[in-house]
Amino acid sequence: MNELSILELAKQGGWIMIVLAVLSVIAIYIFTDRFIAIRNAGKVDKLFMDRIRDYVKNNDTRSAINFCRVTDTPAARIIERGISRIGRPAPEIQAAIENTGNLEVAQLEKRLPVLATIAGGAPMIGFLGTVIGMVEAFWQMSNAGGNLDISMLSSGIYQAMVTTVGGLIVGIVALFAYNYLVAKVDGVVNEIERESLIFMDLMNE
């Protein structure tokens, strides 16, 4: 009895499987890249704002800015921009913090739309392979005449089924990866907002 080989089964899917393989590689790259970036951005120093408060209260803005640069997180870069505006009206400081925050969040979300597109597009591409495979199967049936042999239809049916499975696997994995990264980004954004509010309270003291 022949064993089912995943590789041989994938080959039956034709060129559609190559497209799905490329999409899966892209999805893995994006997930790995964003996971590392978001994880580094989410590192929290619980004493960060305490030290910033001490520097600001002592009018040592240079040390505060240097500390932000050494910390090198999205929240630190936002606070650095706010510190550089100390002495200006509070609305101007708030606007600088918000603008920098928007840029930092956009940086964290870079390439996530591509991952979302793969999550939605891979199943559709797999379904396209299914339609192509069934068309080939029916075409072979129409040309077989009275000599219809089930083995003649195997390639078309294989392609129809295999591409559907491949597309669903790539799409489902990409969807879970996308939602996971979005949740991680939301956590970083919440931390950024928390530290920004603490900083603005410090400015109002």
Side-chain angles (χ1 to χ4, degrees):
M1 182 177 181
N2 294 330
E3 295 183 359
L4 180 63
S5 171
I6 300 298
L7 181 60
E8 290 297 325
L9 192 60
K11 289 180 179 179
Q12 296 293 333
W15 62 271
I16 292 290
M17 295 301 292
I18 298 176
V19 176
L20 293 174
V22 171
L23 291 179
S24 66
V25 171
I26 295 173
I28 291 171
Y29 168 76
I30 292 174
F31 176 78
T32 304
D33 175 69
R34 291 297 86 201
F35 175 79
I36 295 173
I38 295 169
R39 183 186 62 181
N40 292 337
K43 292 180 179 178
V44 178
D45 182 358
K46 295 181 179 179
L47 300 178
F48 174 76
M49 289 307 302
D50 291 336
R51 294 188 63 178
I52 292 296
R53 181 181 288 105
D54 292 339
Y55 286 133
V56 171
K57 286 186 175 181
N58 292 327
N59 293 321
D60 190 0
T61 56
R62 177 174 297 180
S63 295
I65 290 175
N66 289 335
F67 180 57
C68 289
R69 291 175 179 173
V70 170
T71 303
D72 194 28
T73 62
R77 287 189 286 271
I78 291 170
I79 299 303
E80 179 188 347
R81 181 58 61 88
I83 293 172
S84 68
R85 296 294 190 276
I86 288 179
R88 300 184 182 183
E92 186 175 339
I93 297 175
Q94 182 70 37
I97 289 176
E98 290 179 354
N99 292 337
T100 306
N102 291 334
L103 293 175
E104 292 293 340
V105 172
Q107 184 67 22
L108 290 175
E109 293 177 341
K110 185 173 65 175
R111 301 191 187 95
L112 288 187
V114 177
L115 190 59
T117 301
I118 293 174
M124 299 301 294
I125 293 174
F127 181 68
L128 174 62
T130 298
V131 174
I132 293 174
M134 295 307 297
V135 168
E136 290 181 356
F138 282 112
W139 182 82
Q140 291 180 10
M141 289 175 63
S142 66
N143 288 305
N147 300 318
L148 182 61
D149 184 354
I150 192 64
S151 63
M152 298 171 58
L153 309 178
S154 61
S155 62
I157 295 175
Y158 264 128
Q159 181 173 349
M161 297 299 102
V162 171
T163 56
T164 298
V165 173
L168 286 173
I169 290 174
V170 175
I172 290 171
V173 172
L175 179 61
F176 277 100
Y178 171 78
N179 287 331
Y180 174 79
L181 293 177
V182 168
K184 297 292 285 184
V185 169
D186 288 342
V188 175
V189 170
N190 290 335
E191 181 63 24
I192 289 174
E193 291 177 348
R194 186 186 71 84
E195 296 196 354
S196 297
L197 289 174
I198 293 174
F199 180 78
M200 289 307 301
D201 289 339
L202 177 62
M203 292 296 97
N204 293 326
E205 290 181 1

